[in-house]
Amino acid sequence: METQRSMSKLNILVVDDARFIRERVTSMVREAFPDFSVMAVENGTEATRAMQQKRFDLILCDWEMPEMSGLEVLQWTRSQDDYKQTPFLMVTSRGEREYVLKAIQAGVNDYLGKPFTREQLVQKMVKALDKRQQLSPEQQARAAAMLEADKKATPAEASAPAKMRSKPKGLAQLRNSEQTFRCAIKDLNLREVKVVIKNEGAFPQVLEQVVVDIEQLSGDSVARINGFITSIQATEQKLDAAYVDVNVFFMDDDPDKLAHLSKYIASVR
């Protein structure tokens, strides 16, 4: 393996079992750092194989994957002499304290919660690579300019979460990179969900990446499903409609999540 890397040509490894997220992260990295080389793989086994064949300078890895979890990839990475100090960013919809602590104990450098914006991803990458002085002044300037442009293009969203109204098919939380919406489930299958949120002036956007936390009727969490918004529509033809329907298409192919989802669907049908 090579032991020295060119500051202008770093190798980035993206690991995620959801194709949409792999493509999205790859696109974000290439837009921010066009001189980087980006490789994307769909599971931990492919990730460890790739790391044995090529030297990577930063790893962006999902936590919840079949066969080999992101935590197991991290533990394997830190057991390798060539990767003991390599920046490793865990990208996941799990934000509970116990999961964060496990990742820290295993040697993670930083934690990026799904869903996330390009600004948040680039900030984490710059922070990780700057610590090892792996970014050239030109790369730092380009990243800073892109972050500033993103701030100007994205208006600030209201911080208060929207309230929901009860529906017989259950409750959920819809999370984008800035806000959490309490919502009620109107319809649900293994590929998509329709939820309703109260109109309080702040909405997610069409094609925006989100996480849907579906809850059991008892209040226990069932699954955190990654997806993207396919449509948003007012529930009535009024400018001040009180509620809005949001359709989310699921991107997760995790067998465990799909199994939980199947049981939940059967329980509310």
Side-chain angles (χ1 to χ4, degrees), residues 154-165:
T154 306
E157 297 188 22
S159 59
K163 294 182 180 178
M164 45 69 61
R165 54 178 175 172

Side-chain angles (χ1 to χ4, degrees), residues 3-231:
T3 57
Q4 298 293 328
R5 302 244 55 82
S6 166
M7 292 181 73
S8 62
K9 190 66 174 179
L10 301 184
N11 296 320
I12 311 299
L13 179 63
V14 176
V15 190
D16 201 300
D17 60 319
R19 179 180 176 183
F20 178 88
I21 296 178
R22 287 199 308 274
E23 293 176 349
R24 182 170 182 266
V25 172
T26 298
S27 176
M28 287 178 169
V29 174
R30 286 175 175 162
E31 287 174 2
F33 306 101
D35 42 6
F36 283 8
S37 174
V38 186
M39 180 177 181
V41 298
E42 65 179 352
N43 59 54
T45 302
E46 289 188 10
T48 57
R49 185 182 302 122
M51 282 188 272
Q52 292 177 78
Q53 296 174 350
K54 183 177 181 178
R55 181 74 172 89
F56 291 94
D57 302 284
L58 184 143
I59 300 159
L60 298 162
C61 185
D62 184 31
W63 185 305
E64 297 175 288
M65 297 183 293
E67 298 182 24
M68 189 176 187
S69 71
L71 182 62
E72 291 172 322
V73 175
L74 172 60
Q75 291 168 336
W76 179 90
T77 300
R78 293 302 183 234
S79 71
Q80 308 300 306
D81 290 338
D82 288 319
Y83 285 103
K84 288 187 183 297
Q85 302 299 322
T86 301
F88 193 111
L89 304 184
M90 193 73 79
V91 185
T92 179
S93 55
R94 283 201 171 276
E96 295 93 339
R97 184 172 180 271
E98 61 179 290
Y99 286 90
V100 175
L101 289 176
K102 285 180 181 179
I104 291 173
Q105 290 167 355
V108 77
N109 293 87
D110 211 337
Y111 203 87
L112 183 62
K114 293 179 182 178
F116 52 87
T117 64
R118 181 176 67 173
E119 176 184 1
Q120 292 167 334
L121 174 63
V122 173
Q123 284 177 335
K124 296 286 188 179
M125 290 182 64
V126 169
K127 179 181 176 183
L129 294 172
D130 261 359
K131 286 183 177 180
R132 295 173 60 84
Q133 298 181 328
Q134 290 178 279
L135 291 179
S136 68
E138 293 78 13
Q139 289 170 334
Q140 292 176 2
R142 178 183 175 85
M146 179 171 285
L147 293 175
E148 186 62 29
D150 283 349
K151 287 180 181 178
K152 291 180 179 178
T154 306
E157 297 188 22
S159 59
K163 294 182 180 178
M164 45 69 61
R165 54 178 175 172
S166 297
K167 287 290 177 180
K169 289 193 177 179
L171 309 178
Q173 290 186 351
L174 180 69
R175 293 187 281 124
N176 62 14
S177 58
E178 302 293 337
Q179 191 169 356
T180 298
F181 300 89
R182 291 288 297 170
C183 50
I185 299 171
K186 295 184 73 172
D187 199 10
L188 175 69
N189 59 47
L190 288 176
R191 297 313 307 159
E192 59 187 341
V193 62
K194 175 183 282 188
V195 300
V196 59
I197 63 175
K198 189 174 181 180
N199 177 8
E200 292 191 348
F203 306 101
Q205 299 178 9
V206 173
L207 298 183
E208 182 176 19
Q209 182 190 353
V210 294
V211 175
V212 183
D213 300 325
I214 300 174
E215 303 172 5
Q216 292 180 343
L217 298 179
S218 64
D220 296 328
S221 177
V222 172
R224 294 168 176 80
I225 311 295
N226 295 290
F228 65 95
I229 294 176
T230 56
S231 68

